[in-house]
Amino acid sequence: MNEQALAPKLDLQLSVRKEGNQVVLGYHFTNGDEQPVVLVNFVAEAGLTPETDLQPVYVEPQAKGLVTVSQRALEEPQPPLSIRPLHSYLLVPAAKSHDVELRLALPLARRAPRLGEVARAISPAPTRLQLCLGTVPLAALGTGLAQQLVAGELKIAPISPTLAQKQHRVCSNTVAID
């Protein structure tokens, strides 16, 4: 069986606009797969909470004016559990969608998934943006975690290295930053 046939049928559409000193990213995620999937989004670095972390994303400059903004699990290397970043777990049932709006301060600053890295403004200013999300099949969580998520008891937690490796990265279209 080819790998394309095994890939989940997920779609991520992005819109971008500037409002004052912020760039607003609106995204529409659709699970077109036959099985539920879980968005495993980056919430906060160790020591921060979702309330105190005003930019709960990774911001990584690419070539030719492109910047990738992502909410996903840290892939490699995995830090010790006590300092591992927190992630939110959001269940998206089969054939359902989820809409989110993120606001990022301008100028955009690099924020990489490496502990201890200091954020610094991206220069020259990016002209295009892409958003990527981390997803895993609900079954990959294991019975206990899956039951907690379905019951609404699991929302924010560190992620295991095994689950991070099972993550499927879904990326949006590329959008100009006006």
Side-chain angles (χ1 to χ4, degrees), residues 66-137:
L66 177 65
V67 67
T68 299
V69 174
S70 59
Q71 292 186 310
R72 66 184 195 287
L74 184 67
E75 288 140 2
E76 290 295 331
Q78 282 285 320
L81 187 60
S82 62
I83 58 171
R84 196 168 296 161
L86 297 175
H87 295 81
S88 68
Y89 293 79
L90 177 73
L91 179 64
V92 182
K96 296 293 182 185
S97 297
H98 179 68
D99 294 297
V100 172
E101 187 173 273
L102 298 170
R103 293 177 176 271
L104 306 178
L106 289 172
L108 290 176
R110 176 184 176 89
R111 183 171 179 178
R114 291 177 257 319
L115 296 174
E117 184 166 309
V118 177
R120 53 188 189 279
I122 300 169
S123 183
T127 57
R128 298 174 301 127
L129 195 138
Q130 179 182 47
L131 177 73
C132 296
L133 301 176
T135 69
V136 293

